[in-house]
Amino acid sequence: MRALLPAVLLLGGCTTAYGDGMGDILRGQGIAAREPDYDVPYVPTPEPVVDAMLAMAGVGANDTLIDLGSGDGRIAIAAARLGAHASGVEIDATLVERARRNAALYEVADRARFTRANLFDVPLRDASVVTMYLLPRINLALRPRLLTELRPGTRIVTHAFDMGEWRADEERLVADRRVYLWIVPAVAGGDWRATLADGREVALHFDQRFQDVTGTLGAAAITGTLRGSAIRFTAAGRAYTGTVGEAAITGDNWRAVRLP
């Protein structure tokens, strides 16, 4: 779980009791104090948490998983054992070699591959699942890329730390650890022209804040949410559902086209 940045970024004031020493790391003590070249120190994710992360994301044979800061490879290897194609990104060459040996040991080296690289330089577009055990500052630094490079519906799972103002779609407590799941939302914000079930055309406007939307349909106020490309909102007491594309929303008995 490491990234390379100009300086070690540690958060003070954390009182969470992590049995693996994460509490000390967040206070600038322990492993991190001995690793000045890495922005995120290596702390392995417990196996029950690994299992929970993959279960929350529904990882299966059709998935392509990228583990950012992959350490000894345990998350990517577990995903490969579920049939997924997995890759791990790790800045520490020793850990990359360890992960490769572990993949060979579990006979998944053809589906779990590991690369020595800075996680900020890795292309994300092909992933259907992204897993991370990084510090809060790194999560926030990655957040714009996760929202813009990943396709709508991509699942992101983090261990221990959230994404700030981006509310998690699901959260679990596993062996005293927090695990968070986000579904990358489509881009719905902006102006649309909606055609309703009765044939009327009305203006549709969305203001989007991550997966939450507000706005107006004609003169009626809107509140709603996105889960990937699926949108649900209410206006004037009526519920609307649809699928958001780049240029159109296809709904049940209604549709909308994006205005330039």
Side-chain angles (χ1 to χ4, degrees), residues 33 40 129 138 157 161 189 197 246:
V40 183
V129 179
I138 310 304
V157 190
F161 304 114
E246 291 186 7

Side-chain angles (χ1 to χ4, degrees), residues 200-250:
R200 288 184 300 126
E201 291 190 350
V202 296
L204 172 62
H205 175 78
F206 289 121
D207 293 309
Q208 183 173 351
R209 180 71 172 168
F210 304 113
Q211 71 269 54
D212 297 320
V213 292
T214 56
T216 54
L217 177 66
I222 284 173
T223 58
T225 59
L226 285 152
R227 188 174 178 87
S229 59
I231 190 168
R232 290 178 169 270
F233 64 91
T234 58
R238 179 178 174 180
Y240 294 82
T241 61
T243 302
V244 179
E246 291 186 7
I249 303 174
T250 304

Side-chain angles (χ1 to χ4, degrees), residues 49 67 170 192:
V49 178
D67 185 29
E170 185 179 345
W192 306 75

Side-chain angles (χ1 to χ4, degrees), residues 19 55 64 80 91 102 107-108 113 141 149 157 181 190 198 223 231 236 243:
T64 299
I91 197 69
N102 289 340
E107 299 182 342
V108 293
R113 301 180 183 277
E149 294 184 27
V157 190
L181 169 71
D198 60 7
T223 58
I231 190 168
T243 302

Side-chain angles (χ1 to χ4, degrees), residues 70-99:
S70 52
D72 64 5
R74 62 183 61 193
I75 293 176
I77 289 169
R81 296 181 74 189
L82 293 172
H85 289 275
S87 61
V89 181
E90 171 61 52
I91 197 69
D92 186 322
T94 301
L95 287 172
V96 171
E97 289 305 314
R98 186 187 305 175

